């Protein structure tokens, strides 16, 4: 009994120690206040009145001494308005996007319908067109478009090269007939006009590229018909990020015409995986595929090296539809080329000079670094210089005819002028003959 009384006294003392009188009074005041109800029909007013009453004695009512969460009607109204505005904007954006998609779908349907109607009209026109419908003559298109004029220039500018001229005429025939079909309403497609020119130096690859560009321009397959000659130095950069701008700049210059990449196999270096030429090749392949209606890419070089290049880059091979091989000139053809060059420069080669020049050409063809028409051009330049030296010594130094020379003297290239070249090869040391 005494033990129970002692335990009760200890518990009462603990409660008194951890329950200050202020807390007891505040709790008593909180629960002893009679509830004050406002307008029962307006809960918001009731809540606002309750908050007003509780805020006056919030310290006394909150035993922890902190402010209770309060309802802020003004902030709640602002948040609701902002949320409503954002929702309205999202709905408007979705509505605009939906209308845009509907308009695009309707435009596609109208375009498809127009295309179907045009197709049906074309089918009806082709069905009702008699087989005797005049389409015009091939000669009319050849002369009217100026194609025949370009082919005649090709014949006049290039001596020999019969297979090359034949291939160029075949391409021209395809373009002419394709245009005649288009005039009547037949389905047409731009043929692959990318080209590969293989052959030794000086066989007329650049000249043929120029003529092809002009033919394409005459036929409407090329806007300008000009030819831009490019090498590795024009397309490949020297550091990272330099190749793409250089290649795109050359492509931009050639747009509407022909881009002739000479010695194209130098673009790819199989021994170096980090060579920047691969990037240039990838850009060219992309342009050849996507811009073939506005740019013709022609690659040129030695046949064996070009074949090896195509084995490394099969995508290039598959995109080129016209492979033209340029054979070496014969000695007689090179003599004829020399005559053409002399005529263009208004020189007259003496009849007895042709055998001497042919002997020089035959001897030079056996030496390294022979370059066909380029070698002939160099030989003609040296023959003109020899003619000038001979005429100068005859009239200026020796004073023949009182120093007066005739027009024939100024235009003549004699056998002696070519004999100097032949003697240089015959009498020179073996290691110096290639410079003769």
């Amino acid at each position: 009994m005494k033990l129970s009384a002692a335990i009760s006294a200890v518990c009462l003392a603990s409660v008194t120690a951890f329950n200050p009188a202020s807390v007891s009074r505040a709790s008593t005041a909180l629960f002893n206040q009679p509830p004050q109800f406002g307008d029962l029909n307006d809960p918001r007013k009731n809540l606002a009145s309750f908050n007003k009453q509780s805020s006056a004695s919030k310290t006394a009512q909150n035993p922890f001494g902190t402010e209770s969460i309060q309802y802020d009607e003004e902030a709640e109204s602002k948040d609701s308005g902002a949320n409503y505005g954002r929702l309205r904007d999202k709905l408007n954006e979705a509505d605009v996007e939906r209308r845009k998609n509907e308009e695009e779908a309707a435009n596609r349907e109208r375009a498809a319908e127009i295309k179907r109607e045009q197709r049906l009209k074309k089918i009806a026109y082709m069905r009702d067109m008699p087989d005797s419908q005049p389409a015009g003559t091939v000669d009319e298109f050849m002369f009217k478009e100026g194609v025949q004029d370009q082919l005649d220039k090709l014949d006049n500018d290039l001596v020999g090269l019969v297979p090359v001229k034949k291939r160029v005429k075949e391409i021209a025939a395809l373009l002419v007939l394709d245009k005649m079909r288009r005039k009547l309403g037949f389905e047409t497609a731009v043929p692959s006009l990318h080209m590969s020119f293989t052959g030794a130096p000086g066989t007329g690859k650049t000249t043929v590229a120029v003529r092809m560009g002009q033919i394409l321009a005459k036929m409407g397959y090329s806007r300008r018909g000009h030819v831009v000659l490019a090498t590795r130095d024009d397309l490949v950069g020297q550091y990272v990020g330099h190749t793409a701008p250089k290649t795109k700049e050359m492509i931009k210059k050639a747009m509407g015409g022909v881009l002739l990449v000479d010695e194209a196999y130098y673009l790819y270096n199989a021994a170096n995986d980090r060579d920047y030429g691969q990037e240039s090749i990838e850009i060219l392949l992309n342009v050849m595929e996507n811009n073939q209606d506005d740019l013709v890419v022609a690659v040129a070089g030695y046949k064996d090296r070009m074949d090896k290049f195509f084995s490394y880059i099969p995508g290039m091979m598959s995109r080129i539809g016209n492979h033209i091989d340029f054979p070496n000139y014969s000695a007689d053809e090179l003599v004829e080329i020399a005559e053409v060059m002399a005529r263009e420069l208004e020189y007259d080669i003496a009849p007895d000079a042709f055998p001497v020049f042919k002997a020089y050409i035959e001897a030079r063809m056996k030496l390294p670094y022979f370059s066909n028409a380029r070698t002939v051009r160099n030989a003609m330049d040296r023959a003109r210089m020899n003619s000038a030296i001979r005429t100068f010594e005859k009239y200026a130094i020796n004073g023949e005819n009182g120093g007066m020379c005739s027009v024939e003297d100024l235009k003549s290239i004699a056998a002696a002028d070519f004999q100097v070249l032949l003697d240089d090869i015959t009498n020179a040391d073996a290691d110096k003959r290639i410079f003769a």
Side-chain angles (χ1 to χ4, degrees):
M1 190 68 177
K2 293 180 180 180
L3 179 60
S4 300
I7 292 173
S8 300
V10 171
C11 292
L12 181 60
S14 300
V15 170
T16 304
F18 291 99
N19 261 324
S22 59
V23 176
S24 177
R25 287 196 300 270
S27 303
T28 304
L30 177 62
F31 290 102
N32 288 339
Q33 287 181 358
Q36 298 181 5
F37 298 102
D39 190 354
L40 296 177
N41 295 325
D42 193 347
R44 284 194 174 187
K45 290 184 178 180
N46 276 336
L47 186 57
S49 176
F50 176 77
N51 288 335
K52 185 176 182 181
Q53 293 175 12
S54 61
S55 60
S57 58
K58 58 184 178 182
T59 304
Q61 294 175 1
N62 191 342
F64 301 102
T66 59
E67 185 177 356
S68 302
I69 298 176
Q70 305 295 326
Y71 173 77
D72 192 342
E73 183 177 5
E74 182 178 357
E76 182 69 19
S77 299
K78 290 182 179 179
D79 292 342
S80 299
N83 291 334
Y84 174 75
R86 287 193 293 269
L87 179 61
R88 179 182 58 198
D89 294 339
K90 292 292 184 182
L91 292 175
N92 290 337
E93 291 177 2
D95 189 51
V96 171
E97 188 68 22
R98 178 183 57 80
R99 287 199 301 268
K100 185 185 298 184
N101 293 335
E102 290 177 353
E103 290 177 359
E104 292 178 355
N107 291 335
R108 287 194 298 268
E109 291 180 0
R110 284 195 297 269
E113 184 64 26
I114 293 174
K115 189 175 181 179
R116 283 193 296 269
E117 292 177 357
Q118 292 176 347
R119 176 67 176 169
L120 293 175
K121 289 181 180 179
K122 185 175 183 178
I123 292 174
Y125 170 77
M126 299 298 295
R127 183 182 62 247
D128 299 336
M129 182 177 62
D131 294 338
S132 59
Q133 175 75 22
T137 64
V138 176
D139 289 341
E140 177 185 354
F141 274 81
M142 293 284 286
F143 284 100
K144 181 180 178 181
E145 303 296 339
V147 178
Q148 188 61 50
D149 181 54
Q150 296 300 323
L151 294 177
D152 292 340
K153 289 182 179 180
L154 188 64
D155 284 333
N156 296 331
D157 293 345
L158 289 181
V159 176
L161 298 181
V162 176
V164 175
K165 294 177 181 178
K166 181 175 179 293
R167 182 60 172 163
V168 172
K169 290 179 180 179
E170 290 172 352
I171 297 174
L174 171 63
L175 300 181
V176 169
L177 271 297
D178 187 70
K179 193 161 189 177
M180 294 177 69
R181 285 172 53 88
R182 189 188 310 168
K183 181 180 178 181
L184 290 178
F186 287 100
E187 287 292 336
T188 60
V190 178
S192 177
L193 298 174
H194 302 308
M195 304 177 189
S196 170
F197 298 155
T198 56
T203 50
K205 296 185 290 294
T206 304
T207 303
V208 171
V210 171
R211 290 288 171 257
M212 282 304 306
Q214 293 170 349
I215 290 174
L216 295 176
K218 295 290 184 181
M219 294 302 300
Y221 289 93
S222 177
R223 289 185 289 110
R224 300 166 61 188
H226 66 298
V227 176
V228 175
L229 181 63
T231 61
R232 176 186 168 90
D233 292 338
D234 301 312
L235 299 172
V236 181
Q238 299 176 354
Y239 50 84
V240 176
H242 192 208
T243 297
K246 291 189 69 173
T247 303
K248 291 178 180 179
E249 180 65 24
M250 294 303 297
I251 292 174
K252 183 179 179 181
K253 291 180 181 179
M255 274 296 178
V258 178
L259 176 62
L260 177 60
V261 183
D262 195 18
E263 297 182 321
Y265 34 77
Y266 286 130
L267 292 178
Y268 183 78
N269 186 359
N272 186 2
D273 295 337
R274 298 183 179 181
D275 184 68
Y276 301 135
Q278 182 64 35
E279 182 180 1
S280 179
I281 293 173
E282 293 174 357
I283 296 174
L284 287 175
L285 292 176
N286 185 51
V287 172
M288 291 171 68
E289 184 68 26
N290 300 328
N291 300 90
Q292 60 178 342
D293 56 340
D294 197 34
L295 177 66
V296 175
V297 176
V299 292
Y302 291 102
K303 181 171 177 53
D304 55 343
R305 296 187 184 182
M306 289 300 296
D307 291 341
K308 190 174 182 180
F309 171 70
F310 287 141
S311 68
Y312 290 132
I313 314 294
M316 181 75 73
M317 179 73 171
S318 62
R319 285 171 172 81
I320 295 176
N322 302 284
H323 296 265
I324 304 176
D325 185 39
F326 289 69
N328 289 322
Y329 289 103
S330 65
D332 292 332
E333 289 174 339
L334 292 173
V335 172
E336 189 176 349
I337 290 174
E339 187 177 6
V340 172
M341 291 181 178
R343 184 171 60 248
E344 290 178 349
L345 294 173
E346 297 183 348
Y347 276 91
D348 294 330
I349 299 178
D352 60 341
F354 285 106
V356 180
F357 181 72
K358 183 177 180 181
Y360 163 77
I361 289 296
E362 290 175 344
R364 184 64 183 86
M365 291 175 70
K366 299 176 183 178
L367 300 177
Y369 310 116
F370 179 73
S371 300
N372 291 280
R374 293 180 187 171
T375 300
V376 173
R377 183 182 60 194
N378 294 336
M380 288 299 300
D381 289 341
R382 289 193 59 191
R384 289 167 52 206
M385 182 177 65
N386 294 335
S387 174
I389 294 173
R390 175 175 51 81
T391 303
F392 185 82
E393 290 180 350
K394 181 178 180 180
Y395 295 100
I397 297 178
N398 299 332
E400 294 186 15
N401 197 26
M404 296 293 294
C405 61
S406 63
V407 174
E408 182 180 358
D409 294 325
L410 296 177
K411 296 176 61 178
S412 175
I413 296 179
D417 302 326
F418 290 122
Q419 188 63 45
V420 176
L421 305 181
L422 183 58
D423 292 341
D424 287 344
I425 291 181
T426 305
N427 302 326
D429 296 335
D431 56 344
K432 296 182 180 180
R433 289 179 181 177
I434 61 173
F435 302 105

